[in-house]
Amino acid sequence: MRYLFYFGHPAHFHLFRHTVAALKAEGHTVDLFCKTKDLLEDLLQASGWAYTNVLPQGKGAGRLAMATDLLARNGRMLRHCLRHRPDLMAGTSPEVAQIGRLLGIPSLVLNEDDVDIVPLFAKAAYPFCTAVVAPEQTDLGRWAGKGLTYPGYQKLAYLHPNRFTPERSRVEHLFAGRAQYFVLRFVSLTAHHDVGIGGFTPAVARRVVDLLEPHGAVWISAEGDLGGDLQRYRLALDPLDIHHALHFATLFAGDSQSMTVESAMLGTPSVRFSDFAGRISVLEELEHTYGLTVGIPASEPGRLAETLQRLLARDDLRAAYAARRDTMLADKIDLSAFLIWLMSTFPDSLRTVRADPATASHFRTPHRVAA
């Protein structure tokens, strides 16, 4: 078979990389597409896989630019699909759904955000795709009938311990001679679904650094210029090592939903400071069912400081979160195993899941306890 994958974000490379590798190993043809976004191309280049960038200039600002960018990406992918018709398309963006519908090619759209968090994406993708592959707690709204749901999280496709083994040697320098270190992540909040959403400000960032620094080294991953003296805390790291850095961090704090979930998958205590707090089903489950993260609205910086101080005061912090993570993993599947089966046996797999929606739960597997 011939498959087409589209990556719109570095996390999407990680989401699909085990599936892509497995399909290639089985002798299938796999076409990879991406757009310019953060370190996405660095990850693709490091993988050694051939790929096509359909938006090398990066996204523009505003809804008009978003529409024209989508048209440009669709046009480039359409030309490829007319020449090299894939049997199945998969991605996390509307392109695969729209082109799939136009050409009669089955498409799988993966997402873990509720429809009210990404309403434009849902309207642009869900009506046209064959199925939406999503965690079972995700609210798909009026497109729930298209859902192929599973007990798990997207980021377990690459952070389930069956897929990821942390290596301290790759991040030893982050300790900087200290007993522990902390990772902060600040994002630009410029996506269409970020309108009206607040997160870290320079003043709050400075306060958090001052609070954490007496306890260990502090590293900041950020989109754009940090400004002022915060620049000296910028995390310099091979992009392939970021998950090793998160695993060995004593604590993570930031306004990135993606990196917050990644920290939870690794059992690293995490605090997200964002107006998305209380709104995203995946993170709400991780917070209230498993106790792996804490969400604080951007209007409550005092509560942020109090929460960090409370966590720092615990002698059993990492052990407690490791136990909570094991509880979570016992309930969830190795998503890559499910995706490899779903795609390599498609369309028979689609009929199987439609007949038995609990099929994905069969991919719960024993996992290796990470160091």
Side-chain angles (χ1 to χ4, degrees):
M1 290 180 67
R2 187 174 200 128
Y3 299 90
L4 185 150
F5 290 84
Y6 176 78
F7 307 141
H9 187 280
H12 304 157
F13 166 82
H14 294 299
L15 168 62
F16 290 121
R17 63 189 173 93
H18 293 291
T19 303
V20 169
L23 294 174
K24 283 177 171 285
E26 292 174 4
H28 300 290
T29 300
V30 182
D31 300 323
L32 303 179
F33 285 79
C34 75
K35 67 179 180 182
T36 296
K37 173 65 175 174
D38 299 336
L39 299 172
L40 177 55
E41 279 200 272
D42 294 333
L43 294 169
L44 282 162
Q45 289 167 7
S47 74
W49 295 332
Y51 67 92
T52 300
N53 188 335
V54 293
L55 198 69
Q57 74 274 22
K59 70 174 184 177
R63 291 198 175 191
L64 178 59
M66 184 172 64
T68 57
D69 288 349
L70 177 60
L71 288 173
R73 298 194 305 265
N74 270 338
R76 289 162 185 155
M77 289 179 64
L78 175 61
R79 288 192 291 272
H80 172 88
C81 290
L82 288 171
R83 292 194 304 268
H84 309 286
R85 188 180 183 90
D87 297 294
L88 178 62
M89 304 169 70
T92 57
S93 294
E95 293 91 325
V96 295
Q98 294 174 357
I99 293 173
R101 173 62 66 86
L102 181 64
L103 299 182
I105 300 170
S107 64
L108 302 176
V109 170
L110 280 77
N111 190 31
E112 61 179 355
D113 289 322
D114 304 313
V115 289
D116 64 333
I117 300 297
V118 288
L120 294 180
F121 168 79
K123 291 175 182 176
Y126 293 173
F128 309 107
C129 68
T130 304
V132 182
V133 183
E136 57 190 7
Q137 70 272 25
T138 303
D139 179 10
L140 299 179
R142 65 178 183 270
W143 297 285
K146 283 197 170 186
L148 292 186
T149 62
Y150 58 87
Y153 308 107
Q154 279 192 179
K155 291 163 183 60
L156 281 182
Y158 54 96
L159 293 178
H160 192 285
N162 289 346
R163 303 290 166 181
F164 175 74
T165 302
E167 299 176 28
R168 183 180 171 119
S169 61
R170 298 173 71 161
V171 296
E172 192 68 48
H173 65 286
L174 297 182
F175 288 90
R178 310 289 295 275
Q180 58 188 359
Y181 67 85
F182 311 96
V183 174
L184 307 179
R185 171 64 172 170
F186 309 143
V187 297
S188 60
L189 296 173
T190 57
H192 70 87
H193 51 265
D194 294 329
V195 174
I197 298 296
F200 271 84
T201 64
V204 173
R206 179 72 261 179
R207 183 178 179 185
V208 169
V209 169
D210 290 343
L211 189 156
L212 295 175
E213 198 164 24
H215 302 274
V218 178
W219 301 104
I220 301 176
S221 169
E223 296 178 349
D225 183 23
L226 284 170
D229 69 336
L230 290 178
Q231 189 64 29
R232 67 190 178 95
Y233 298 96
R234 182 176 286 278
L235 178 65
L237 191 71
D238 185 319
L240 290 174
D241 291 340
I242 185 59
H243 301 119
H244 299 274
L246 288 176
H247 174 83
F248 289 103
T250 295
L251 186 148
F252 167 84
D255 49 20
S256 165
Q257 315 309 312
S258 293
M259 204 169 281
T260 297
V261 175
E262 289 175 334
S263 297
M265 300 298 97
L266 295 166
T268 299
S270 65
V271 180
R272 63 195 189 281
F273 185 65
S274 164
D275 287 327
F276 279 124
R279 295 182 54 194
I280 299 175
S281 294
V282 162
L283 281 160
E284 288 300 286
E285 180 178 273
L286 287 169
E287 179 172 0
H288 299 293
T289 301
Y290 298 108
L292 285 166
T293 186
V294 178
I296 300 171
S299 58
E300 301 183 34
R303 184 177 157 207
L304 171 64
E306 292 169 2
T307 300
L308 293 173
Q309 289 169 334
R310 174 172 51 81
L311 292 172
L312 290 169
R314 292 192 60 167
D315 294 331
D316 66 339
L317 184 63
R318 286 307 304 255
Y321 274 71
R324 295 174 189 180
R325 179 200 187 219
D326 284 343
T327 299
M328 177 270 291
L329 288 172
D331 294 339
K332 305 304 181 183
I333 67 168
D334 175 350
L335 180 58
S336 282
F338 174 61
L339 292 178
I340 292 166
W341 168 80
L342 179 67
M343 299 190 72
S344 63
T345 62
F346 196 91
D348 290 343
S349 59
L350 179 64
R351 289 190 285 268
T352 298
V353 177
R354 292 296 190 211
D356 179 12
T359 297
S361 65
H362 303 159
F363 290 84
R364 288 192 182 96
T365 61
H367 62 275
R368 296 175 279 107
V369 177

